[in-house]
Amino acid sequence: MSAVSTESEDLLGVAARWAAEGEKVALATVVETWGSSPRPAGSRLVLTASGRMEGSVSGGCIEGAVADAARQTMETGTPQLLDFGISDDRAWEVGLACGGKLKVFVERLG
Amino acid sequence: MTPDLLARLAAARAAKRPVALLTRLPDGTQLLFPDDPVAEELTAAAHVALRADAARQVTIDGEAWFIHPHNPPLRLIVVGAVHIAQALVPMAARLGYAVTVVDPRRAFATEERLGEVALSAEWPDEAMAALAPDSRTAVVTLTHDPKLDDPALEVALRSPAFYIGCLGSRRTHAKRLERLREAGLNEAQLAKIHAPVGLDIGAVTAPEIAVSILAQIVASRRGPKSEKT
């Protein structure tokens, strides 16, 4: 499944600016969705180790879990492919109330 | 993503050049299309994604790749630096449109009235020819003045612009159609005009009219959800 991905915000610009300020930066991108996921493939969330956050990969349901994974990736440099969905125990925990499923790719900038 | 790749992506975007970021999952190997050498099937998938302006995942030779197109921004050309334009310009920018305002009347087309936006003080037909509307461009005429709106429309209606809207009542529009017919435009071209401009939400104030226009532009591009499968 695919969805229109045009972003009106320049999140890559935000990522570059934060990196230039000396922040540790990670990028999270929705790479696949099923069902009623709130944000289409290509949606991005930019995060820093210091806790700054811009953009979104859901309606706010999974951003916390993505931030935890992003902190690991910022340390190790190893990217992660995260799976959120109703078949996953974590779904209830992180509250993907829409019943959708999605995959999020998390990578370090640098 | 390496800082080098981010810089190359940013440079392509600044140059308004369509590119696609290709990421192999899950290891995160990345390529920039069309700058980096890319296998044939991946090239085809990148073309499809750019044309559809839609990110997608594909599997090629057992490898999963995420294709993320980065097209230049959509454009909005506003003819007439009038009161409604003052409301429309910042809202359209917020929606991600690169906006140009065309108005040869220097009293209207000022930065003080419109803020930081591309301004063209050329006569509308010349301005429109130079701007060359493409399939990612919307055009809105707001002057109410046939000698400014019509020359812009004569160019816009022969272009592949995805949306053309004209301010003015039904009666004004009927007269406009007569003039444009005389100018040699055919019925299929004239049928592309949205007039009176905007969705009928009973808009009264300039910002409300701007909302109705932008809602109609979004609907033209995305289509109402109820009509999708």
Side-chain angles (χ1 to χ4, degrees):
Chain A
M1 182 179 168
S2 69
V4 176
S5 66
T6 304
E7 286 281 359
S8 58
E9 310 144 281
D10 180 19
L11 292 170
L12 292 175
V14 170
R17 199 170 66 236
W18 286 351
E21 290 170 13
E23 297 265 22
K24 278 188 189 170
V25 181
L27 292 173
T29 309
V30 176
V31 293
E32 209 169 356
T33 68
W34 300 263
S36 57
S37 298
R39 302 282 284 127
S43 301
R44 280 192 175 109
L45 175 68
V46 186
L47 314 103
T48 67
S50 63
R52 291 158 100 180
M53 209 156 91
E54 193 71 51
S56 71
V57 289
S58 77
C61 317
I62 59 166
E63 269 74 2
V66 170
D68 287 342
R71 266 190 289 277
Q72 280 174 21
T73 290
M74 281 182 234
E75 282 310 314
T76 63
T78 311
Q80 299 181 60
L81 189 57
L82 309 174
D83 224 320
F84 297 95
I86 41 172
S87 59
D88 189 327
D89 283 346
R90 274 186 311 177
W92 182 247
E93 216 178 285
V94 302
L96 205 57
C98 50
K101 283 174 38 170
L102 72 160
K103 278 189 184 172
V104 177
F105 181 68
V106 181
E107 63 192 309
R108 181 168 77 177
L109 179 62
Chain B
M1 188 185 294
T2 63
D4 171 60
L5 184 60
L6 180 61
R8 289 164 63 206
L9 194 45
R13 284 165 65 92
K16 300 201 174 12
R17 203 159 58 78
V19 292
L21 177 65
L22 316 178
T23 305
R24 191 167 66 192
L25 302 176
D27 76 347
T29 299
Q30 285 172 325
L31 298 167
L32 191 63
F33 174 85
D35 304 15
D36 294 328
V38 168
E40 202 175 309
E41 277 183 85
L42 213 42
T43 297
H47 276 299
V48 170
L50 279 165
R51 229 181 355 257
D53 201 20
R56 65 190 67 204
Q57 202 177 302
V58 296
T59 304
I60 292 167
D61 291 335
E63 293 183 338
W65 285 87
F66 179 60
I67 319 276
H68 196 168
H70 289 83
N71 276 306
L74 295 160
R75 290 192 295 159
L76 171 64
I77 303 172
V78 179
V79 181
V82 297
H83 188 206
I84 293 167
Q86 289 179 286
L88 185 59
V89 168
M91 288 187 197
R94 195 69 190 84
L95 264 61
Y97 285 79
V99 186
T100 303
V101 177
V102 176
D103 201 322
R105 302 168 298 180
R106 299 203 184 254
F108 283 89
T110 65
E111 203 169 283
E112 189 185 3
R113 285 168 50 78
L114 293 161
E116 274 188 44
V117 64
L119 287 174
S120 170
E122 284 182 275
W123 206 254
D125 50 352
E126 286 162 19
M128 293 297 288
L131 291 165
D134 60 14
S135 62
R136 293 173 54 79
T137 306
V139 179
V140 177
T141 67
L142 299 175
T143 73
H144 264 138
D145 182 345
K147 68 179 187 301
L148 294 172
D149 282 354
D150 287 10
L153 285 170
E154 286 183 36
V155 178
L157 290 170
R158 292 185 172 100
S159 80
F162 76 88
Y163 175 90
I164 298 167
C166 302
L167 188 71
S169 66
R170 279 174 211 289
R171 251 183 51 203
T172 305
H173 186 53
K175 285 187 207 151
R176 177 187 295 129
L177 290 178
E178 275 174 40
R179 291 192 306 272
L180 291 172
R181 258 184 218 111
E182 274 175 35
L185 288 148
N186 64 39
E187 294 307 313
Q189 289 167 329
L190 296 177
K192 283 159 70 178
I193 302 177
H194 291 83
V197 72
L199 293 185
D200 185 3
I201 57 171
V204 174
T205 65
E208 287 173 1
I209 293 166
V211 166
S212 81
I213 293 171
L214 287 169
Q216 193 168 48
I217 291 174
V218 171
S220 292
R221 192 169 122 71
R222 309 275 200 199
K225 242 179 192 157
S226 55
E227 286 174 20
K228 286 186 182 162
T229 49

